[in-house]
Amino acid sequence: MSSPTIFESPVNVVSGFPEDKAATRSSGGNNPKLFFRNVVSREEAKTLARQVIYPDAELVDFYLRPYSEEKLGFLGTHLCLIIVAKKPGSEECERRSFFVKTIPRDVPGQLAYIEEKGAFRKEVGFFKLLVPLLMEGYKGEPWAPPCYLIKEDTLVFEDMTCSGFGNRPRLFDEPTARAAVASLSRFHASSLLAEERSNGKPLNQLYPSLFEESEYKDTERSRAWFLSAINLSISVANDLGLDTSNMLEACKRIFDMAIPSKTKRNVVTHGDLWSSNLIFDPADRCIIVDFQLLRYSPLAQDLMQLIYLSTTREFRRQHETQLIKHYYESLEAALKLNGFKGPVPSFQELMEGVEEQRFPSLVSAVINFPTIMMDGKIGAEIMNGLDAYESYFFVNRKPFVDKIVARDPEYGRRVVEVVKELAEMVQKVESLPRPK
């Protein structure tokens, strides 16, 4: 389904000051309805100006506003920080925009769920502890955006839209998918290189708290989330006259994703690779964002989840084999460029992992497609509404989905397609390999 670009540049970088009723100046804003007023302090803005604009910059002004009318992600609030600075003795000002990610202070239910998951804590730890290790001496195209400010509840990144990056339609074409798997291979190569520099010590032993499972764990809230998603699929399948007798039990296999492999090489994995967490420039360079669901898992877990969450069944039939080969070739190239001396996971190992991860990745698509295929503005209404958020994620998704299908038949076709594929695969689930 084609969708509007939602990771768009929030400002035009020109001289002067914009009049923006949705913006609030952290240095003096007094609108109590704007919960993000104090997300970034004046001292922090001054430090950012000197770090990014001029080493001796004088801060003229700074303010925050919502990054988009649509929902860019579902585990945080996204803002645009504008900093205006000048050189000492100069009257000419320069304005820069930054992408800010912070906890969702305005949606208590969403905040409670994120805190239970430890999702924001993970991403803070990732950029504070792991990224310096992963990027030490790294050569090649970057796979993550620069992060300039790391706080317990807030991260400030370079605004990649200023370099031409943005989201693409939620279902990828072949060039977009190839760019995505190539970027993923560089991320995974960085993990292998970091472990080599650590004398082979697994990264989940260096920083165990960063790899505690966030998504598929045995808590009341996570169980409610899982059941709400699978019950929707069962309801859709029942409407289609499909056999659902073993669907719930089979889908519980997705909890295998939470366990590192005992037979395959594990790496730092992203765990949430859908279209909004991948941004691209016109030259098909790709950057990965939103590292809140980290795992320590085999290579194929991220790869298959990316493929299932961003392509159609027909696309996979035509292009999956070549995409997997392109991922592996890109992984080998990145390791070679960086002088990796350890054993490279074999292509056979990768392919065994691909088949082990196929069913969990399909279940992941079944769980997430009804949400990630939503129009961004509809998603924002649900995610930002106190009652709607609770009801959709933890009680009953069907009424919401039915309303969207009535307005967007293509959305309905995508949900039905993935449910049909699940129903077919459930019939042979006992013969499918499980991650090990």
Side-chain angles (χ1 to χ4, degrees):
M1 178 182 70
S2 179
S3 65
T5 299
I6 58 176
F7 206 107
E8 297 177 335
S9 181
V11 295
N12 294 317
V13 182
V14 296
S15 59
F17 302 94
E19 291 299 325
D20 188 346
K21 294 179 181 179
T24 179
R25 283 177 170 73
S26 293
S27 54
N30 57 7
N31 185 344
K33 294 181 181 180
L34 294 174
F35 67 95
F36 51 80
R37 191 175 66 209
N38 297 312
V39 168
V40 176
S41 71
R42 186 171 186 82
E43 283 303 311
E44 288 164 345
K46 186 184 299 184
T47 299
L48 285 167
R50 291 178 175 175
Q51 182 180 358
V52 179
I53 303 177
Y54 307 119
D56 56 349
E58 293 181 356
L59 181 66
V60 176
D61 197 13
F62 74 106
Y63 50 95
L64 290 144
R65 67 179 182 181
Y67 199 88
S68 171
E69 293 180 357
E70 302 189 10
K71 193 68 177 173
L72 302 184
F74 304 109
L75 293 176
T77 294
H78 303 102
L79 306 172
C80 176
L81 168 66
I82 307 296
I83 292 180
V84 184
K86 65 178 184 177
K87 291 182 178 180
S90 172
E91 294 303 315
E92 184 177 347
C93 295
E94 181 166 346
R95 183 173 61 173
R96 293 286 183 91
S97 65
F98 299 81
F99 182 75
V100 179
K101 187 172 185 178
T102 190
I103 59 174
R105 296 167 172 83
D106 57 334
V107 187
Q110 192 177 350
L111 178 59
Y113 189 44
I114 288 172
E115 289 177 341
E116 180 192 287
K117 281 176 172 283
F120 207 92
R121 173 184 57 79
K122 270 194 175 186
E123 188 161 28
V124 167
F126 176 74
F127 280 99
K128 185 177 182 178
L129 301 173
L130 271 182
V131 167
L133 186 60
L134 296 175
M135 298 305 294
E136 182 183 337
Y138 172 77
K139 300 174 185 175
E141 290 285 343
W143 44 261
C147 185
Y148 297 123
L149 177 63
I150 303 171
K151 302 200 297 181
E152 184 178 332
D153 60 2
T154 302
L155 295 165
V156 177
F157 297 95
E158 181 174 329
D159 185 353
M160 298 302 295
T161 62
C162 297
S163 299
F165 284 85
N167 288 122
R168 292 188 178 175
R170 290 180 175 90
L171 294 173
F172 291 167
D173 58 18
E174 186 181 6
T176 301
R178 284 175 63 87
V181 301
S183 184
L184 177 63
S185 74
R186 294 191 291 272
F187 169 44
H188 288 169
S190 297
S191 178
L192 293 170
L193 289 160
E195 285 197 354
E196 182 178 54
R197 291 192 299 271
S198 301
N199 297 317
K201 186 169 184 179
L203 294 176
N204 68 333
Q205 293 182 18
L206 285 176
Y207 301 108
S209 64
L210 294 184
F211 298 100
E212 293 173 357
E213 178 58 25
S214 298
E215 196 87 275
Y216 300 106
K217 58 183 183 178
D218 190 21
T219 66
E220 182 178 354
R221 196 85 162 154
S222 290
R223 287 194 301 271
W225 169 81
F226 172 76
L227 289 173
S228 173
I230 300 304
N231 285 339
L232 168 64
S233 299
I234 291 172
S235 179
V236 171
N238 284 332
D239 290 345
L240 297 168
L242 303 173
D243 182 2
T244 62
S245 57
N246 192 38
M247 190 169 283
L248 175 59
E249 196 61 32
C251 286
K252 291 179 181 178
R253 283 195 177 199
I254 198 170
F255 286 82
D256 291 343
M257 295 180 79
I259 306 169
S261 176
K262 295 180 181 178
T263 62
K264 296 171 179 63
R265 187 71 183 268
N266 295 294
V267 292
V268 180
T269 49
H270 183 280
D272 193 22
L273 286 169
W274 63 291
S275 58
S276 277
N277 290 338
L278 298 145
I279 55 177
F280 305 83
D281 73 358
D284 284 334
R285 291 180 299 180
C286 175
I287 291 291
I288 304 170
V289 300
D290 198 0
F291 294 83
Q292 293 191 322
L293 299 180
L294 296 176
R295 293 192 182 97
Y296 189 69
S297 308
L299 303 168
Q301 187 176 112
D302 262 352
L303 177 60
M304 292 304 285
Q305 191 178 50
L306 188 161
I307 290 172
Y308 269 84
L309 288 177
S310 63
T311 67
T312 65
R313 189 175 189 178
E314 178 60 20
F315 180 95
R316 293 193 294 275
R317 186 187 69 78
Q318 293 186 35
H319 302 293
E320 182 184 280
T321 299
Q322 290 305 314
L323 275 182
I324 293 169
K325 288 181 179 177
H326 183 58
Y327 163 85
Y328 188 75
E329 290 167 358
S330 300
L331 178 74
E332 287 186 310
L335 292 173
K336 182 178 180 180
L337 178 64
N338 285 274
F340 184 68
K341 296 180 176 59
V344 179
S346 69
F347 187 71
Q348 179 182 349
E349 176 183 318
L350 175 64
M351 291 306 298
E352 288 175 358
V354 161
E355 295 309 320
E356 291 174 2
Q357 296 293 331
R358 186 175 300 282
F359 184 69
S361 297
L362 173 60
V363 176
S364 179
V366 166
I367 289 171
N368 290 293
F369 254 40
T371 305
I372 66 179
M373 289 295 160
M374 284 181 190
D375 172 80
K377 291 183 179 179
I378 294 174
E381 291 173 6
I382 293 174
M383 302 312 140
N384 296 333
L386 300 182
D387 294 335
Y389 177 84
E390 287 293 311
S391 182
Y392 176 82
F393 275 106
F394 305 107
V395 182
N396 184 7
R397 302 185 183 191
K398 191 67 160 54
F400 296 91
V401 170
D402 286 345
K403 287 182 180 179
I404 299 171
V405 169
R407 297 162 55 181
D408 185 355
E410 181 65 15
Y411 169 87
R413 283 191 285 273
R414 293 307 173 195
V415 172
V416 165
E417 178 184 81
V418 75
V419 169
K420 282 183 175 180
E421 187 174 359
L422 175 69
E424 291 174 19
M425 202 171 286
V426 165
Q427 298 306 308
K428 55 183 179 181
V429 70
E430 293 306 322
S431 66
L432 299 177
R434 298 187 72 154
K436 55 185 184 292

